[in-house]
Every structure is written in C-alpha cells, then in structure tokens.
Amino acid sequence: MSRATESRIVPMSLRGGAGALAGWECAPPPGVATRGTAVLVPGFTGSKEDFAGLLPILADAGFRCVAYDQRGQFESEGSEDRDDYTIETFSADLIGVVESLGAPVHLVGHSFGGYVARTAVVARPDLFSTFTLLASGPSSLQDIAFPPPAQVEQLIEAGGQDVVWQMLAGAGATEVLDQAKREFLHRRIFATRKANLVGIVRTMQTRPPAPAVVRAAGVPILVGYGDTGDLWAPEVHERFAAELGARVAVYRGVGHLPNEERPDQVRDDLVVFWTDGDARASVL
C-alpha cells in the first residue's frame, strides 16, 4: 500500500461489549459521491489490516468502508475470560457497530468473520443491504482443511499464542512473506488475547446458522472464494452457495486471502453486487 493510500485510512474507535474496538475507516475521496457504507469483519488470527488493500479502492468506488478488530483481537480491548468470546458476543459487537454507523450497510465477513456475520444477519436482517461471505465455508467441523477445533483449543490452552504462530509457520503461511509482513503477523498474534483465540476455536466447534435459516433472512448473499488452497474445497463452497441461494465469485489461483491476493477483482465483484441487482458477480 502506498503512503498516499495509507493516509486515507483513518483509525477510529468503536464501542464493543467488552470495551473499545479498534477500527479503520476509509471514506470516498473529494468529488466522489457516497453510495453506501460497508463493514468488513476479519477472521481467526486476523484483524482490520487484512482489508488494507481493499478499503481504499472500495472507497474510490463510492463506498464508506469500516473494518475493525474483533474483541480481544490485535488492538481491540477484551477480557481474559474465555466465556466472553462466543458467537453471540461477537455478533452483538457487530450489530452494535452497524447501529452506530447507520444502517443498512453492506456486510463482508472473511473466514470466521463470516460465521459472525451469518449470526448477525439472522438476528437483525434489517441492518444489512447485502451480505458477502469471503473464503468462509459452511463450518469448521467437516469438509475443511483445518485440524479438529477441540484439538487446537487444547494446544492453545497449553502453549498460548506461540502455538498459533508455530501452526502458521508450520503450514508455510509465513514463508513467502517479506520481513516487514512477517514481523507484523508475529506482532499481531502476540497482541491478540489468548482468550480470544481459545474462544474462537471453541465457537468453531459449533455450527453457525444453517444455510436455510440464513437464506430465509432475505438478505442478498455473495459467496467469494479462491480455488487453490483455501480451507474449503471449491466444490464445498459451490454447494454451500447453492444452499444459500447466493451469487458466486471464484478467484482463480488464489487461496484463503482473496482480499489480499486479488483486491481489485474482489472490489469489482463487490461493487457489481452492491449496485446492480440484476447483474451476476463475475467468475474470474
């Protein structure tokens, strides 16, 4: 991200149920009319920075964009009580954020952020104009390339953030990164509260709202995913999208982070989805 782009992202503080949530806001530049507000929710071990390449280019297209660290994640406040990190508390934070920004908004949930978003959409569909699941499959209990969540919970309880860092390194997730990015990811993991990590993994041991329930909420849905090395295979995403009655965007040669690997293409699909009810999201 260039310095000029970075300067357009403004830190903000949002109210969460466990304290302040660290957020980023990026508004359309002067001369560009605002066409709506988008809220982007990161996943397990993630943060608002996962959307650094996406926020400014969505803002250029006329959308006020807000991303935030979930409770106990990176720069957001949170308790050390594992019981404070449930799908209900995460989704309540999201609902509170949207209400404070002014509804309805376009909602984007990446990975576990999609689980949180699904719960919020079912609880308060009136708050959302559209809903996008980005690299976020049906559940973490089957058809996923992730260790059993109960096993991961035990490892984190025993070894804390270092275990999570070693898991990322062992999976090769840090090998291709430049030094600055690697150092940031290391800092982020160790700034995230252990209770957040344990709480999310506990939450992953339950199923999010069923596709039929999400579909019945009546909010238009887009499912976007990479076809190479995501946690869920393409056929799993495809089946999930059909159950949701969702549009589909496939990012060729991309893994679990299309928001970082193909931000321009993700932007194009989101803008089409958000602005043209008759158009289909492109398959890239």
Side-chain angles (χ1 to χ4, degrees):
M1 206 167 45
S2 69
R3 292 188 178 219
T5 299
E6 285 179 345
S7 68
R8 293 182 49 204
I9 294 178
V10 179
M12 67 186 306
S13 180
L14 298 157
R15 184 184 298 274
L21 301 172
W24 274 358
E25 180 176 17
C26 195
V32 176
T34 300
R35 305 161 76 182
T37 297
V39 175
L40 299 91
V41 186
F44 178 56
T45 75
S47 68
K48 59 192 177 301
E49 284 77 9
D50 294 341
F51 305 109
L54 194 54
L55 299 186
I57 58 178
L58 283 171
D60 287 341
F63 294 92
R64 173 195 181 203
C65 295
V66 173
Y68 68 94
D69 302 341
Q70 298 201 66
R71 60 169 59 200
Q73 189 177 59
F74 193 33
E75 296 179 324
S76 283
E77 294 179 354
S79 78
E80 296 297 345
D81 185 346
R82 280 87 165 137
D83 293 337
D84 286 342
Y85 299 87
T86 66
I87 197 65
E88 290 79 17
T89 58
F90 285 122
S91 62
D93 285 344
L94 171 56
I95 288 170
V97 165
V98 173
E99 290 178 329
S100 73
L101 295 174
V105 305
H106 300 289
L107 178 61
V108 179
H110 175 252
S111 198
F112 175 75
Y115 293 10
V116 176
R118 283 160 67 181
T119 303
V121 165
V122 168
R124 290 292 308 277
D126 58 299
L127 298 180
F128 306 103
S129 299
T130 67
F131 169 38
T132 298
L133 288 162
L134 193 59
S136 183
S139 80
S140 298
L141 297 174
Q142 64 186 58
D143 297 328
I144 182 173
F146 190 84
Q151 175 185 329
V152 177
E153 178 187 346
Q154 293 175 353
L155 292 172
I156 297 173
E157 285 283 20
Q161 291 91 331
D162 188 60
V163 165
V164 179
W165 178 250
Q166 295 304 324
M167 287 176 63
L168 291 174
T174 63
E175 293 177 359
V176 298
L177 302 176
D178 61 37
Q179 185 64 21
K181 180 74 171 187
R182 183 181 173 88
E183 289 175 356
F184 165 73
L185 293 180
H186 187 270
R187 179 164 58 90
R188 181 170 71 179
I189 286 292
F190 283 88
T192 296
R193 293 178 184 269
K194 178 178 176 181
N196 165 281
L197 300 170
V198 172
I200 288 179
V201 173
R202 284 184 179 176
T203 296
M204 290 164 61
Q205 295 173 54
T206 62
R207 292 185 179 276
V213 175
V214 180
R215 184 173 186 169
V219 179
I221 305 169
L222 171 67
V223 169
Y225 59 91
D227 70 347
T228 306
D230 190 16
L231 295 179
W232 294 270
E235 57 269 23
V236 175
H237 282 296
E238 183 178 0
R239 183 172 66 246
F240 185 38
E243 293 171 342
L244 290 167
R247 303 180 190 183
V248 174
V250 183
Y251 302 98
R252 306 297 182 193
V254 170
H256 192 53
L257 292 167
N259 42 301
E260 292 190 351
E261 296 180 64
R262 300 283 176 82
D264 290 342
Q265 295 176 341
V266 174
R267 181 269 319 275
D268 290 345
D269 277 325
L270 289 176
V271 170
V272 168
F273 180 48
W274 292 347
T275 59
D276 188 348
D278 296 325
R280 292 185 179 181
S282 58
V283 177
L284 303 173

